[in-house]
Amino acid sequence: MGLFDQILGAVANPNQQGSLGQIGGIINAVDQLSNRTGADSSTIQSMLGVVGNYVRSSLQQKQATGGNEQAQALVNQYSGTSANPQAVNSLFSPAMQQQVAEVAAQRTGLDAGTIQQLLPLAVPLVLNFLQSGANAQNPQGGGNSVLNSFLDADGDGDVDISDAIQMASRYIKR
């Protein structure tokens, strides 16, 4: 099942944290990023896709060394729709932040410096998407279908945050 299907499942499941309000807040934040940079929303979604790929790698490393609980704890602690530099620093070294910005700049045409300034908002947005699958009563335990799908436990590589954001935007706006 794809990442967006997992997110929709979390929205429909009262035992998970996902809600249309949460998804709408993420889409609004993406629109704000678009307005702030003057870039169209598809460019911002592409940038978030690059950031999401690096977030996945970082969370996979945290999961490998500290288990699912450590990855879920980072998602719970740093997800949101407002800027949080600690979210970026918890996942990426300064050198990695520069690499994320440079790769995103190459793929989107946005300035790397601008992207680096957007990371404190972009990373919490990606984590907010992932938090939608957390257990509503016990966010730290009970598994997170969205996070598990994002971390691609079955190894098929079929994960892309920009596609999920694009589908969520279409879903919310219809």
Side-chain angles (χ1 to χ4, degrees), residues 10-71:
V11 167
N13 185 340
N15 296 319
Q16 291 180 300
Q17 290 187 6
S19 69
L20 288 178
Q22 176 190 20
I23 303 303
I26 293 168
I27 300 307
N28 287 339
V30 170
D31 289 344
Q32 289 173 4
L33 281 174
S34 179
N35 292 337
R36 184 187 303 178
T37 61
D40 61 19
S41 61
S42 66
T43 300
I44 297 301
Q45 290 167 9
S46 293
M47 186 258 313
L48 288 170
V50 171
V51 171
N53 287 335
Y54 281 92
V55 166
R56 180 176 56 240
S57 294
S58 180
L59 287 175
Q60 285 170 331
Q61 289 174 348
K62 306 282 187 198
Q63 182 185 42
T65 59
N68 289 336
E69 297 78 23
Q70 186 176 9

Side-chain angles (χ1 to χ4, degrees), residues 8-170:
L8 283 182
V11 167
N13 185 340
N15 296 319
Q16 291 180 300
Q17 290 187 6
S19 69
L20 288 178
Q22 176 190 20
I23 303 303
I26 293 168
I27 300 307
N28 287 339
V30 170
D31 289 344
Q32 289 173 4
L33 281 174
S34 179
N35 292 337
R36 184 187 303 178
T37 61
D40 61 19
S41 61
S42 66
T43 300
I44 297 301
Q45 290 167 9
S46 293
M47 186 258 313
L48 288 170
V50 171
V51 171
N53 287 335
Y54 281 92
V55 166
R56 180 176 56 240
S57 294
S58 180
L59 287 175
Q60 285 170 331
Q61 289 174 348
K62 306 282 187 198
Q63 182 185 42
T65 59
N68 289 336
E69 297 78 23
Q70 186 176 9
Q72 183 64 53
L74 283 166
V75 169
N76 290 343
Q77 184 173 359
Y78 295 116
S79 70
T81 55
S82 56
N84 186 342
Q86 290 87 9
V88 179
N89 294 330
S90 73
L91 292 173
F92 306 135
S93 67
M96 185 60 71
Q97 292 174 36
Q98 183 67 37
Q99 182 180 353
V100 171
E102 289 171 5
V103 170
Q106 290 169 0
R107 297 228 180 113
T108 63
L110 293 171
D111 178 70
T114 300
I115 292 170
Q116 208 156 10
Q117 291 175 355
L118 296 177
L119 285 178
L121 185 54
V123 170
L125 284 176
V126 170
L127 295 176
N128 199 351
F129 247 121
L130 301 179
Q131 191 178 30
S132 65
N135 184 297
Q137 283 72 43
N138 180 11
Q140 196 52 44
N144 178 332
S145 60
V146 175
L147 178 61
N148 292 340
S149 179
F150 183 69
L151 296 179
D152 197 26
D154 65 0
D156 72 356
D158 183 28
V159 176
D160 191 294
I161 199 79
S162 66
D163 289 343
I165 291 169
Q166 185 177 28
M167 287 186 261
S169 181
R170 286 188 202 138

